[in-house]
């Protein structure tokens, strides 16, 4: 029964993916992609990866969906022109053949994976106690492979610097996005008043739950970012000016605190990014809180794009 | 009973997946967005049924996040649609 | 499970090598304004010191430095390891970053009291992030950490391409980003499969655990091709020429000298450290064949360019090809290390290119700044106006060509030795031809630059002497690199390579200049006088024939650089590599 | 057949669809979607590997699951950078075609 | 008691699934955008509500609370989203 469910789900996912590529209409492609993301989140649940499913929903479904839908509407004008440059039938056929070859090879590789599968599940569970957290995925992210997570938060900040650097010179330091003129009585403003408190509660809940159950700073941060964007889109609050010092320190606070805790570990626990056993959970939660705020700010600003206007005094 | 819940979840998912044909047909962008809206609630229903049936931790939280973010795609769509006509290329270059 | 790995003395330097630039970058991003440049410049000597400390640590202990992050040893945790290869690369990268920083001060300086501006802010932050990412690539012992570092490198490199915001550079940056992203995810697939096969992503543990299987073959071919796409090895170089030629000079130097070395180094790690048990004989030949293609097409197309920066960019395409000649020379048919000398030669080549090419891009940028253009046929008189820049270009070119005692000379000797030892004379031939081809564009540029101007040249802009010296310093470093010996860090048979500073050696290496001169005459762009002179000497037909051939190559290059064609090449190569690896597996 | 195999094959198929789109789609935004499909397929491969490694009372190996979370964040950052670049290019030139090579970086007017 | 709870689950979940079917049929069959939108939001709100109702007896106290919050959120989201979509559709028709 459940295998049938998995097979049907996989087929729908692949069919949607094909449609994303072959749809004539660019907007239909983006919408199909959003639907695809939703179903992939279900697939993650079926793979016993609720943490990943949460991330997929929050980041890919929520943020990337908003981003791509916005971009598709703005690029509509040139869509038809670009589509006219479609490759010839021969090229497409050849490409399809090669893609099938690559996919086939990968399929073969999946089926040829060794049995019994090597796994670090036991090692992760065995080493869980000194980290003080109960969720093994959080332990991997914050302790066993904390370096990756640290570098990843830096990647997000760097991507934001990259996006900002696309602004024309005279707009550097200005506010991103268009100024929103929203109808204060419209449905959007209503949502933007009701949802944020709930969004904040859910984000904090996910962060708190992340220590023992699925959840964590990235998932919470993405939800916080989405909530913030809602308030901005409804015109209830303007996007921040990107030269603000408070904003910039907020952006780097998460990675900097992470680094500070990491270096403190050299003295307190004999290794960079090691936690003293008694303090492990408290430190991890503290870093997660700072990361939540930084990630939320960075993701929100990434979606808002480069600065587009300067305040005229 | 759990088997029934899982079955019902599959059924709901299959129904709303059929609705995705609207994405293909359109005709308007609004029709396409609706199909995703329906898929969103259907997905939430399927997740709830899964979560209660299997008791896997976190599944209900996934549904909760999904419910919170369900409206966001539509909001982005509406915003983009109201902005699209008055923005021309070359504006800020 | 293997024995628990422990950190060695001095391992903390490895953490600093990665994180010092990260801390600086975060502080700079937060502080903004004038502080950005100051923080970056303060980080340079510190980072240089860390690189020296690591190199001396490796030399002293005679073994890799190891740091186990968080005390969690692999397979669960991540270990940093710096062997001689990593230490040597880090040293050279630090030197290049230092010179680029000195050079870039003029372009990206924020005066006291001036408001914060876009390009300087972005440039220094991106430079720091690239430095950190490269060090992470060099010292990581973990494939996935390598992936995150590669992405850091990409996100640092792409905005550099379009720092000046013109539409053409934006398009170049977008192509670069999309192609680089494809490269990263191909690498990531391999990570997933190797974890499935070996239960860890630690390079050393994987090397012990992996056995030839379809999973490993597919993973290896996808990862290799993904990294090749990021390195821009021919024919996957569609993004490189416009991206490297369009960026500001300091950025071009960083992109060309540094950024492509990151993915190259991961290929080296993958083939030499992760898959020693995977028979890659045929695949290694294929890699080197692509390299040979890069050398021929890159160099000859470089000769046909109208603009100096594009010429230098195409010469990078060719130089990337050289880096891949070492694979069949260093590996035996069963995929194990056959010749440490060839491996050392490949790494030395990368170091030589990093220094020389950064210097050449900076020199080209200075000529551009003085002339207001960089048309090669319009370079007359620049040697008189800016002798140091032209000298830098010449020294860099000679160093790349393999004049003793340059790093490229040492690399060539090592590779030639390995080629004759393993009886693969054809790669020796390619190496020799490469020297001639490199000489050709050098002669072309120098002939134009040293020609007497029709009217005295009035530079549009005074060039600070310090900038010229920074560029010259890098070119000279490349030229003198062979004196370093390097036996303490690189696996050179006999301990060190002779610098080749005999009259005989010098004479021998001047032959390519002659051949290059002929090629430049036949294929280069000249104003009207030369073709007429050639026709007078009865060589007009020869030049016409050469031009037809050159034109065909330019056409070929243009075709290959179109998106669908490059994409198809990517897929085709993936399948070919898979087939070659699979064929190697079944005796 | 197991769930891990099914979703692993699904991931492989998504990779195939993604690379096809990347090669063929003329619109850059579509290429970006294709890149995301490709990435999604790879993450599912990780998921399949994780599910195969279930043990110690866990439904899946937590290490590859954590890697996917890292990968998803990196992918969304990449997507945001690409979209920003795309929109900026659109504003600057009114066209975003990447099919033919633009004449590389002509000189700015002097 | 448990029989009663099971019965509630079966009826609630079954009816909920039916309403999802109805919503899909409406989305595919109804003639124009606005009627489709109406049919759809009614059906999926009701469908999800009935499923939540059916699951309540099996979810425990805090779980049940979460279920109700989820339903409320979906109600809120879908009503606002459908209003927004309706505006776009309306404007699109005027322009045509």
């Amino acid at each position: 029964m459940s295998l049938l469910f998995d097979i049907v789900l996989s087929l729908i996912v692949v069919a949607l993916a094909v449609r994303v590529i072959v749809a004539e209409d660019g907007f239909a492609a983006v919408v199909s992609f959003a639907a695809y993301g939703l179903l992939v989140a279900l697939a993650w649940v079926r793979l016993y990866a609720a943490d990943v499913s949460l991330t997929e929903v929050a980041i890919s479904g929520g943020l990337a969906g908003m981003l791509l839908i916005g971009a598709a509407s703005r690029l509509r004008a040139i869509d038809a022109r670009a589509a006219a440059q479609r490759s010839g039938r021969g090229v497409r056929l050849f490409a399809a053949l090669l893609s099938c070859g690559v996919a086939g090879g990968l399929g073969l590789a999946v089926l040829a994976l060794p049995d019994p599968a090597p796994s670090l599940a036991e090692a992760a569970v065995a080493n869980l106690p000194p980290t003080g957290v109960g969720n093994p995925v959080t332990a991997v992210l914050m302790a066993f492979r904390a370096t990756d997570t640290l570098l990843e938060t830096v990647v997000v900040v760097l991507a934001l610097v990259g996006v900002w650097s696309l602004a024309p010179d005279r707009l550097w330091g200005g506010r991103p996005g268009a100024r929103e003129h929203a109808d204060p009585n419209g449905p959007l403003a209503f949502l933007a008043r009701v949802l944020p408190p709930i969004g904040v509660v859910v984000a904090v809940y996910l962060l708190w739950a992340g220590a023992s159950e699925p959840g964590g700073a990235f998932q919470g941060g993405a939800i916080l970012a989405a909530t913030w964007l809602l308030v901005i889109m409804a015109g209830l609050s303007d996007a921040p000016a990107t030269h603000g010092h408070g904003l910039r320190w907020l952006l780097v606070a998460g990675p900097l605190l992470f680094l500070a805790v990491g270096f403190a570990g050299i003295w307190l626990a004999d290794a960079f990014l090691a936690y003293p056993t008694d303090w492990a959970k408290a430190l991890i939660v503290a870093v997660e809180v700072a990361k939540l705020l930084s990630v939320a700010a960075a993701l929100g600003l990434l979606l808002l794009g480069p600065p587009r206007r300067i305040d005229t005094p | 009973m759990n088997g029934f819940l899982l079955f019902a979840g599959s059924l709901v998912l299959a129904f709303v997946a059929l609705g995705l044909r609207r994405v293909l047909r359109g005709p308007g962008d609004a029709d396409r967005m609706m199909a995703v809206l329906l898929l969103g609630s259907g997905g939430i229903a399927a997740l709830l049924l899964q979560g209660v049936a299997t008791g896997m931790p976190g599944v209900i939280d996934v549904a909760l996040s999904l419910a919170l973010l369900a409206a966001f795609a539509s909001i982005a769509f509406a915003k983009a649609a109201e902005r699209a006509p008055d923005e021309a290329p070359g504006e800020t270059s | 499970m293997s024995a628990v790995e422990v950190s060695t003395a001095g391992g903390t330097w490895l953490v600093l090598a990665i994180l010092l630039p990260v801390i600086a970058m975060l502080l700079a991003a937060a502080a903004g304004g004038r502080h950005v440049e100051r923080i970056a410049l303060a980080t340079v000597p510190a980072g240089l010191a860390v690189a020296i400390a690591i190199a001396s640590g490796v030399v002293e202990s005679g073994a890799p430095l190891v740091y186990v992050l968080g005390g969690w040893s692999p397979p669960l945790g991540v270990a940093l390891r710096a062997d001689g290869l990593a230490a040597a690369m880090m040293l050279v990268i630090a030197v290049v970053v230092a010179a680029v920083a000195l050079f870039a001060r003029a372009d990206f300086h924020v005066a006291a009291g001036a408001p914060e501006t876009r390009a300087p802010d972005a440039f220094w932050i991106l430079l720091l992030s690239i430095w950190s990412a490269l060090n992470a690539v060099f010292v990581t012992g973990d494939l996935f950490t390598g992936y995150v570092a590669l992405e850091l490198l990409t996100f640092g490199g792409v905005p550099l391409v379009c720092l000046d915001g013109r539409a053409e550079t934006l398009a170049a940056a977008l192509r670069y980003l999309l192609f680089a992203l494809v490269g990263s995810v191909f690498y990531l697939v391999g990570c997933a499969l190797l974890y499935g096969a070996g239960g860890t992503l630690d390079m050393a543990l994987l090397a012990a655990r992996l056995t030839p299987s379809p999973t490993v073959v597919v993973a290896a071919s996808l990862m290799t091709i993904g990294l090749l796409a990021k390195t821009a090895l021919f024919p996957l170089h569609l993004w490189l020429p416009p991206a490297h030629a369009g960026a500001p000079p300091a950025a071009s130097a960083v992109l060309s000298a540094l950024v492509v070395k990151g993915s190259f180094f991961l290929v080296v790690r993958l083939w030499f450290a992760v898959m020693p048990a995977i028979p890659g004989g045929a695949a290694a030949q294929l890699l080197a064949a692509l390299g040979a293609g890069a050398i021929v097409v890159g160099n000859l197309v470089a000769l046909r360019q109208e603009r100096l920066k594009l010429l230098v960019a195409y010469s990078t395409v060719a130089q990337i090809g050289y880096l891949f000649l070492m694979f069949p020379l260093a590996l035996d048919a069963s995929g194990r290390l056959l010749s440490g000398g060839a491996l050392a030669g490949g790494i030395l080549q990368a170091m030589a290119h990093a220094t020389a090419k950064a210097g050449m891009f900076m020199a080209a940028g200075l000529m551009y700044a003085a002339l207001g253009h960089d048309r090669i046929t319009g370079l007359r008189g620049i040697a008189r106006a800016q002798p140091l820049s032209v000298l830098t270009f010449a020294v860099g070119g000679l160093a790349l060509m393999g004049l003793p005692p340059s790093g490229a000379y040492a690399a060539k000797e090592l590779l030639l030795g390995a080629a004759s030892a393993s009886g693969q004379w054809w790669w020796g031939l390619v190496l020799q031809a490469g020297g001639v081809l490199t000489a050709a564009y050098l002669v072309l540029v120098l002939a134009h630059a040293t020609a007497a101007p029709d009217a005295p040249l009035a530079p549009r802009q005074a060039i600070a002497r310090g900038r010229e010296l920074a560029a010259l310093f890098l070119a000279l470093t490349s030229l003198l690199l062979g004196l370093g010996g390097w036996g303490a860090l690189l696996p050179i048979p006999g301990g060190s390579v002779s610098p080749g500073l005999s009259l005989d050696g010098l004479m021998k290496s001047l032959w390519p200049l002659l051949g290059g001169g002929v090629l430049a005459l036949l294929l280069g762009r000249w104003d009207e006088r030369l073709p007429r002179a050639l026709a007078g000497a009865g060589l007009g037909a020869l030049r016409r024939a050469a031009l037809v051939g050159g034109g065909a190559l330019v056409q070929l290059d243009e075709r290959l650089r179109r998106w669908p064609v490059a994409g198809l090449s990517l897929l085709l190569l993936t399948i070919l590599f898979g087939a070659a690896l699979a064929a190697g597996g079944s005796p | 057949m197991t769930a891990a195999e099914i979703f692993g094959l699904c991931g492989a198929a998504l990779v195939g669809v993604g690379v096809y789109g990347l090669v063929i789609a003329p619109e850059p935004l579509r290429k970006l979607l294709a890149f995301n499909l490709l990435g999604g397929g790879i993450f599912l491969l990780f998921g399949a590997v994780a599910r195969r490694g279930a043990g110690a009372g866990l439904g899946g190996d937590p290490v590859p699951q954590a890697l996917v979370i890292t990968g998803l964040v990196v992918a969304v950052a990449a997507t945001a950078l690409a979209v920003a670049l795309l929109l900026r290019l659109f504003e600057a030139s009114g066209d975003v075609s990447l099919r033919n090579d633009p004449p590389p970086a002509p000189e700015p007017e002097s | 008691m448990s029989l009663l709870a099971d019965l509630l689950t079966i009826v609630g979940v079954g009816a909920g699934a039916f309403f999802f079917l109805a919503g899909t049929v409406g989305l595919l069959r109804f003639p124009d955008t606005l009627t489709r939108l109406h049919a759809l939001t009614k059906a999926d709100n009701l469908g999800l509500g009935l499923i939540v109702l059916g699951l309540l007896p099996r979810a425990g106290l805090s779980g049940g609370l979460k279920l109700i919050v989820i339903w409320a959120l979906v109600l809120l989201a879908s009503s606002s989203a459908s209003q927004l979509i309706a505006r776009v559709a309306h404007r699109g028709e005027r322009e045509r």
Side-chain angles (χ1 to χ4, degrees):
Chain A
M1 178 67 229
S2 58
L3 273 192
L4 184 70
F5 180 84
D6 293 343
I7 292 173
V8 171
L9 183 60
S10 296
L11 288 178
I12 300 175
V13 165
V14 174
L16 275 172
V18 170
R19 195 185 285 170
V20 169
I21 301 303
V22 303
E24 293 281 317
D25 183 78
F27 193 80
V30 173
V31 171
S32 301
F33 181 76
Y36 150 90
L38 240 157
L39 292 178
V40 170
L42 278 179
W44 283 113
V45 169
R46 298 292 309 157
L47 284 167
Y48 288 79
D51 288 273
V52 181
S53 185
L54 265 177
T55 319
E56 179 86 37
V57 164
I59 290 191
S60 311
L63 295 177
M66 280 164 81
L67 182 71
L68 291 166
I69 285 176
S73 317
R74 291 185 60 187
L75 293 174
R76 181 136 249 193
I78 51 160
D79 214 36
R81 211 183 328 153
Q85 297 178 324
R86 205 163 285 279
S87 310
R89 180 182 289 259
V91 176
R92 273 184 290 165
L93 207 66
F94 189 45
L97 206 67
L98 292 179
S99 309
C100 286
V102 170
L106 263 180
L108 195 70
V110 170
L111 294 179
L113 283 170
D115 245 337
S119 166
L120 290 173
E122 272 174 39
V125 170
N127 286 296
L128 214 46
T131 65
V133 295
N135 177 2
V137 176
T138 305
V140 173
L141 283 173
M142 295 304 296
F144 309 144
R145 300 186 64 97
T147 325
D148 291 348
T149 313
L150 172 62
L151 287 178
E152 173 203 8
T153 53
V154 177
V155 165
V156 176
V157 174
L158 184 65
L160 184 60
V161 172
V163 167
W164 282 358
S165 80
L166 296 173
D169 274 326
R170 68 194 154 82
L171 297 180
W172 179 252
R175 292 175 195 272
R179 198 189 305 277
E180 304 290 350
H181 311 279
D183 171 9
N185 300 317
L188 189 54
F190 172 69
L191 261 187
R193 287 198 188 90
V194 179
L195 276 188
I198 306 175
V200 172
V201 170
V202 171
V204 172
Y205 166 73
L206 284 181
L207 178 79
W208 170 77
S212 50
E213 276 173 50
F218 286 120
Q219 296 89 340
I223 286 187
L224 210 54
T227 314
W228 184 38
L229 290 173
L230 171 64
V231 175
I232 292 176
M233 281 194 297
L236 295 185
S237 147
D238 201 0
T242 53
H243 64 66
H245 275 287
L247 182 75
R248 293 208 182 169
W249 282 106
L250 177 69
L251 284 171
V252 301
L256 276 182
L257 182 68
F258 209 158
L259 278 164
V261 169
F263 278 107
I266 295 183
W267 285 280
L268 298 176
D270 284 334
F272 178 75
L273 276 174
Y275 305 101
T277 316
D278 298 340
W279 292 79
K281 186 169 183 183
L283 285 173
I284 288 179
V285 170
V287 171
E288 288 263 273
V289 169
K291 225 174 70 187
L292 171 86
L293 295 173
S294 292
V295 163
L299 288 177
L301 287 165
L302 267 177
L303 258 72
L304 285 170
R308 292 173 63 89
R309 58 209 156 88
I310 284 276
D311 294 332
T312 39
Chain B
M1 181 52 97
N2 285 346
F4 167 74
L5 294 182
L6 286 175
F7 176 72
S10 319
L11 215 57
V12 169
L13 201 66
F15 290 155
V16 294
L18 283 178
L20 288 175
R21 291 175 56 191
R22 249 309 149 211
V23 180
L24 199 63
R25 277 202 242 153
D29 291 347
D31 302 275
R32 300 195 164 104
M33 284 309 302
M34 274 192 269
V36 177
L37 207 59
L38 181 66
L39 187 71
S41 354
I44 291 170
L47 277 170
L48 291 180
L49 290 165
Q50 278 274 333
V52 172
T54 61
M56 204 194 305
V59 177
I60 306 286
D61 290 347
V62 177
L64 179 65
S65 311
L66 202 54
L68 189 66
L69 299 173
F72 280 68
S74 307
I75 294 170
F77 161 69
K79 270 285 157 193
E82 96 186 27
R83 195 177 298 150
D86 47 63
E87 244 180 277
E91 182 194 33
T92 54
S93 60
Chain C
M1 290 284 152
S2 56
V4 171
E5 200 170 9
V6 289
S7 304
T8 58
T12 317
W13 292 116
L14 306 183
V15 178
L16 285 177
I18 303 176
L19 293 180
L20 206 63
V22 163
I23 296 171
M25 174 214 145
L26 292 172
L27 289 178
R34 290 194 72 200
H35 302 294
V36 177
E37 185 190 357
R38 284 186 187 160
I39 292 172
L41 290 177
T43 312
V44 167
L48 204 54
V50 170
I52 293 171
I54 291 173
S56 63
V58 173
V59 170
E60 265 169 38
S61 66
L65 300 186
V66 178
Y67 195 83
V68 179
L69 288 159
W72 305 105
S73 67
L76 188 58
V78 176
L80 304 178
R81 299 189 193 94
D83 53 1
L85 306 185
M89 288 301 288
M90 276 199 282
L91 210 53
V92 164
I93 294 312
V95 168
V96 174
V97 167
V100 167
L102 288 179
F103 177 86
R105 283 193 66 186
D107 287 330
F108 300 111
H109 179 62
V110 180
E116 177 183 301
T117 43
R118 182 187 63 94
D121 226 40
F123 175 80
W124 295 112
I125 293 174
L126 297 171
L127 179 67
L128 289 169
S129 69
I130 285 173
W131 196 4
S132 154
L134 281 170
N135 283 345
V137 166
F138 296 144
V139 303
T140 183
D142 185 280
L143 288 175
F144 189 79
T145 309
Y147 165 76
V148 180
L150 272 183
E151 292 296 42
L152 200 60
L153 198 57
T154 307
F155 288 10
V158 168
L160 276 183
V161 171
C162 56
L163 210 53
D164 66 1
R166 284 178 291 127
E168 297 85 6
T169 61
L170 288 168
L174 187 57
R175 279 164 156 271
Y176 174 26
L177 177 61
L178 283 175
F179 215 65
L181 287 177
V182 180
S184 325
V185 291
F186 267 50
Y187 176 82
L188 194 57
V189 192
C191 290
L193 294 177
L194 290 185
Y195 185 90
T200 180
L201 288 165
D202 185 78
M203 294 181 189
L205 289 178
L206 275 177
R209 291 183 187 179
L210 291 183
T211 49
S213 76
T215 309
V216 177
V217 164
V218 172
S221 54
L222 282 165
M223 293 174 96
T224 307
I225 295 297
L227 292 169
L228 295 189
K230 286 183 94 97
T231 315
L233 178 63
F234 175 86
L236 307 177
H237 63 297
L238 85 160
W239 57 267
L240 189 143
H244 286 195
S252 299
V254 171
L255 289 167
S256 199
L258 306 182
V259 173
V260 289
K261 301 298 184 297
S263 39
F264 162 71
F265 195 80
L266 273 181
V267 181
V268 174
R269 281 285 191 241
L270 190 65
W271 281 63
F272 290 91
V274 180
M275 323 187 298
I278 311 304
Q285 294 285 340
L286 191 56
L287 263 183
L290 297 181
I295 292 173
V296 173
V297 174
N299 275 321
L300 291 179
V301 174
L303 270 181
R304 295 298 305 154
Q305 296 306 310
E306 287 176 29
R307 292 183 42 222
L308 186 58
K309 285 186 80 177
L310 267 174
L311 181 149
V312 184
Y314 269 101
S315 109
T316 299
V317 171
Q319 291 290 332
I320 289 168
Y322 280 97
L323 300 179
F324 288 88
L325 290 182
M326 70 150 158
F327 286 88
L329 303 177
L331 294 165
D332 67 7
S334 70
R336 289 175 200 285
L337 184 66
L338 174 71
S339 154
L343 174 59
I347 295 293
L348 260 176
Q349 182 74 45
M351 293 158 63
H353 177 249
T355 40
K357 190 49 64 69
M360 288 169 83
F361 255 121
M362 286 148 103
L366 291 175
M367 295 186 219
Y368 191 131
L371 292 168
H373 71 81
D374 67 341
R375 282 189 303 279
I376 293 166
T377 46
L379 287 176
R380 310 172 136 263
I382 188 76
R384 208 162 296 173
Q386 262 178 282
L388 275 184
S389 297
V390 177
L391 180 65
T392 302
F393 199 90
V395 170
L398 286 171
L400 282 182
M401 202 184 85
L403 186 77
S406 70
Y409 169 79
K412 204 171 178 178
E413 289 296 305
L414 289 166
L415 290 169
L416 282 173
S420 67
S422 60
Q424 304 183 61
W425 52 269
W426 52 95
W427 299 129
L429 218 59
V430 173
L431 280 162
Q432 298 289 14
V436 176
L437 290 167
T438 308
Y441 63 76
L442 183 64
V443 170
L444 176 73
V445 171
L446 289 183
H448 279 293
T450 52
D454 301 326
L457 201 74
R460 294 156 45 92
Q461 180 182 341
I463 302 297
R465 182 56 57 85
R467 310 184 72 192
E468 291 192 300
L469 288 178
L472 183 60
F473 166 74
L474 281 180
L476 281 174
T477 307
S478 188
L479 187 64
L480 303 177
L481 208 57
L483 293 175
W486 298 105
L489 289 177
L490 302 179
I492 294 174
S496 74
V497 57
S498 100
L501 273 178
S502 62
L503 193 64
D504 191 39
L506 278 173
M507 291 308 287
K508 210 170 64 182
S509 59
L510 285 177
W511 279 107
L513 268 183
L514 206 65
V518 173
L519 259 181
L521 276 181
L522 290 176
L523 265 171
R525 291 188 182 272
W526 306 91
D527 48 20
E528 276 80 65
R529 274 168 278 185
L530 179 92
R532 251 181 276 143
L534 276 179
L539 291 173
L542 201 56
R543 174 160 162 100
R544 272 196 298 281
L547 284 184
V548 169
L553 270 185
V554 171
Q555 284 270 321
L556 171 72
D557 171 66
E558 220 165 73
R559 287 268 157 78
L560 286 175
R561 287 197 299 116
R562 290 195 180 163
W563 185 281
V565 181
L568 291 175
S569 316
L570 183 87
L571 298 183
L572 198 59
L573 281 177
T574 311
I575 293 172
L576 274 178
F577 260 89
L581 281 170
S586 52
Chain D
M1 230 180 184
T2 62
E5 279 172 349
I6 293 168
F7 287 112
L9 292 178
C10 175
L14 285 178
V15 170
V17 176
V19 291
Y20 174 78
L22 266 163
V23 172
I24 288 304
E27 314 93 320
L29 186 64
R30 200 71 69 95
K31 281 194 187 11
L32 198 55
L33 291 176
F35 160 72
N36 273 291
L37 292 176
L38 176 52
I42 292 166
F43 296 140
L44 275 183
L45 284 177
F46 268 108
V49 167
R51 180 76 185 103
R52 285 169 49 88
L58 300 177
D61 186 346
V63 174
Q65 292 182 356
L67 300 183
V68 172
I69 292 178
T70 305
L72 278 170
V73 177
V74 173
V76 82
T79 306
L81 183 60
V83 164
L85 203 49
L86 194 55
L87 291 177
R88 181 80 179 86
L89 178 62
F90 174 54
E91 280 168 5
S93 70
D95 192 12
V96 289
S97 168
L98 293 180
R99 193 180 152 77
N100 294 312
D101 199 18
E107 299 159 42
E109 325 60 61
S110 34
Chain E
M1 187 61 209
S2 111
L3 190 70
L4 203 65
D6 282 359
L7 198 67
L8 181 65
T9 303
I10 290 174
V11 170
V13 170
F18 172 77
F19 272 98
F20 272 104
L21 176 63
T24 303
V25 170
L27 179 67
L28 291 176
R29 292 273 167 218
F30 280 14
D32 67 287
T33 305
L34 290 178
T35 46
R36 281 199 285 263
L37 191 60
H38 266 284
L40 173 100
T41 45
K42 292 267 153 42
D44 72 347
N45 287 348
L46 217 58
L48 188 64
L50 284 167
I51 286 178
V52 163
L53 194 68
L55 289 177
L56 276 182
R58 314 179 62 81
L61 187 65
S62 70
L65 208 64
K66 246 190 227 173
L67 291 185
I68 293 174
V69 169
I70 290 172
W71 184 49
L73 275 174
V74 170
L75 272 185
L76 183 71
S78 85
S79 66
S80 315
S82 59
Q83 273 192 58
L84 288 166
I85 291 178
R87 281 188 188 189
V88 174
H90 191 62
R91 208 173 56 173
E93 263 161 30
R94 255 186 325 184
E95 276 164 15
R96 228 169 267 156

